Amino acid sequence: MIVVTAPTGDIGHQVVQNLLQSGAPIRVIARDPSHLSTEVRDSAEVVEGSHGDVAVVNKAFEGADALFWLAPADPKAASVMAAYVDFTRPAAAAVKEQGVKRVVSITALGRGSPFANEAGYVTGSLAMDDLIASTGVAFRGLANPSFMDNIARQAVAIRDQNKFFSPISGDLKLPSVATRDIAAVATRLLLDDSWSGQSEVPVLGPEDLSFNDMAEIISDVLGIPVSYQQIGFDTYKARFVQFGMSDAMTQGMTDMAWAKDRGLDLAVSRTPENSTPTTFRQWCEDTLKVAIDG
């Protein structure tokens, strides 16, 4: 039995689909099962509730061989550590109590970087991994850079202003990855019962690109001139305040961007094993263009 958390999220729903196609038995934890597709409700066991709840995770983890773990976004959390570590405490205890054999977690690049302890969400994510690993369970943390899919959140600005924005330097070449590739790596590990021990698995996408590089590719794919505009960290932070995020989570988002601008995501060397196939151009053709034209 494989348990999947956050089954309606960007990564989780793709993991669920991959597992369903494999024929593996799965169980999902969902706050609102009505948000699941009919196929998922018909094909998977569904445990209703939050995967931060003691009773819910103990019920869901009973008899489980493997767990896909993803801490959900909590924009109003009192602190980054509350959003990642405190949320995960019930699950870590249940992993041990219920004898879950393997855990695959979604986490971030940055471990070993001089900025790892001041990188906001990344710092919280790494501390979350340490908590899970402390249970002794076989563990793989999928360490990701920024997602290509995040660019789609600026589809309106790209369409209406021919621009997209970030506080990170436009010339800094960084890895980025498509969520479909993260889901594929997670699925492979969840279905493989031969691994043991604990380690990170970097998932770097196929190449390092700057935001200026991305702007050129977006322009070519969309057939319109699109440019990247670097904004100040104060401006960046103010946008999240406008979205109603808590002060702590707004600062955490800003600190993460600050650390990435200083090379946080470059701490891991690229290899064929940690490079994934979906190029930024392919992602633009498949996803961004649809979002723009949609």
Side-chain angles (χ1 to χ4, degrees):
M1 176 62 68
I2 300 172
V3 177
V4 179
T5 65
T8 60
D10 288 346
I11 300 172
H13 87 274
Q14 296 179 87
V15 171
V16 169
Q17 288 302 316
N18 293 345
L19 291 172
L20 287 177
Q21 290 174 14
S22 78
I26 67 171
R27 182 182 297 148
V28 302
I29 304 175
R31 289 178 185 267
D32 186 350
S34 70
H35 291 166
L36 298 168
S37 69
T38 301
E39 179 190 13
V40 173
R41 291 198 301 271
D42 289 346
S43 304
E45 291 184 31
V46 179
V47 176
E48 184 173 356
S50 166
H51 53 294
D53 182 270
V54 175
V56 170
V57 290
N58 271 291
K59 179 180 179 181
F61 295 177
E62 184 177 359
D65 299 296
L67 165 67
F68 173 76
W69 181 258
L70 191 157
D74 186 358
K76 296 187 181 296
S79 70
V80 169
M81 288 301 169
Y84 285 94
V85 179
D86 293 346
F87 180 88
T88 304
R89 289 191 195 281
V95 161
K96 197 166 186 177
E97 183 173 342
Q98 300 298 335
V100 177
K101 299 179 179 65
R102 295 171 288 118
V103 176
V104 176
S105 175
I106 297 301
T107 187
L109 288 172
R111 192 177 294 277
S113 162
F115 308 108
N117 291 328
E118 47 188 339
Y121 288 17
V122 172
T123 305
S125 184
L126 298 178
M128 174 190 73
D129 296 341
D130 292 341
L131 172 64
I132 298 171
S134 72
T135 67
V137 71
F139 176 75
R140 293 292 184 271
L142 304 193
N144 301 293
S146 296
F147 302 159
M148 296 176 188
D149 304 66
N150 291 343
I151 301 290
R153 297 178 182 174
Q154 299 197 53
V156 173
I158 292 171
R159 184 193 64 206
D160 296 346
Q161 302 177 50
N162 291 47
K163 291 182 180 180
F164 64 106
F165 306 86
S166 169
I168 296 172
S169 170
D171 293 324
L172 179 63
K173 291 185 182 292
L174 295 171
S176 62
V177 63
T179 57
R180 71 177 78 162
D181 290 349
I182 302 169
V185 175
T187 303
R188 185 168 67 248
L189 287 166
L190 291 166
L191 291 172
D192 178 5
D193 62 4
S194 67
W195 55 270
S196 59
Q198 299 178 337
S199 66
E200 285 192 342
V201 178
V203 187
L204 302 186
E207 59 186 335
D208 293 356
L209 294 172
S210 70
F211 282 120
N212 288 333
D213 294 333
M214 289 181 172
E216 290 186 12
I217 294 169
I218 293 170
S219 299
D220 191 45
V221 170
L222 299 182
I224 58 174
V226 174
S227 62
Y228 169 72
Q229 183 173 324
Q230 185 178 7
I231 57 177
F233 286 99
D234 288 344
T235 302
Y236 182 73
K237 183 177 179 179
R239 293 173 66 179
F240 294 109
V241 172
Q242 291 174 351
F243 296 154
M245 291 174 63
S246 68
D247 290 343
M249 297 305 279
T250 297
Q251 189 61 53
M253 183 71 81
T254 306
D255 290 345
M256 179 172 64
W258 174 88
K260 287 177 180 283
D261 191 46
R262 281 152 182 78
L264 178 78
D265 287 350
L266 297 173
V268 174
S269 298
R270 180 179 294 283
T271 67
E273 290 72 30
N274 63 31
S275 297
T276 48
T278 303
T279 65
F280 184 70
R281 177 177 293 276
Q282 185 66 54
W283 176 83
C284 287
E285 291 172 348
D286 294 344
T287 303
L288 184 60
K289 193 172 191 302
V290 173
I292 298 290
D293 295 343

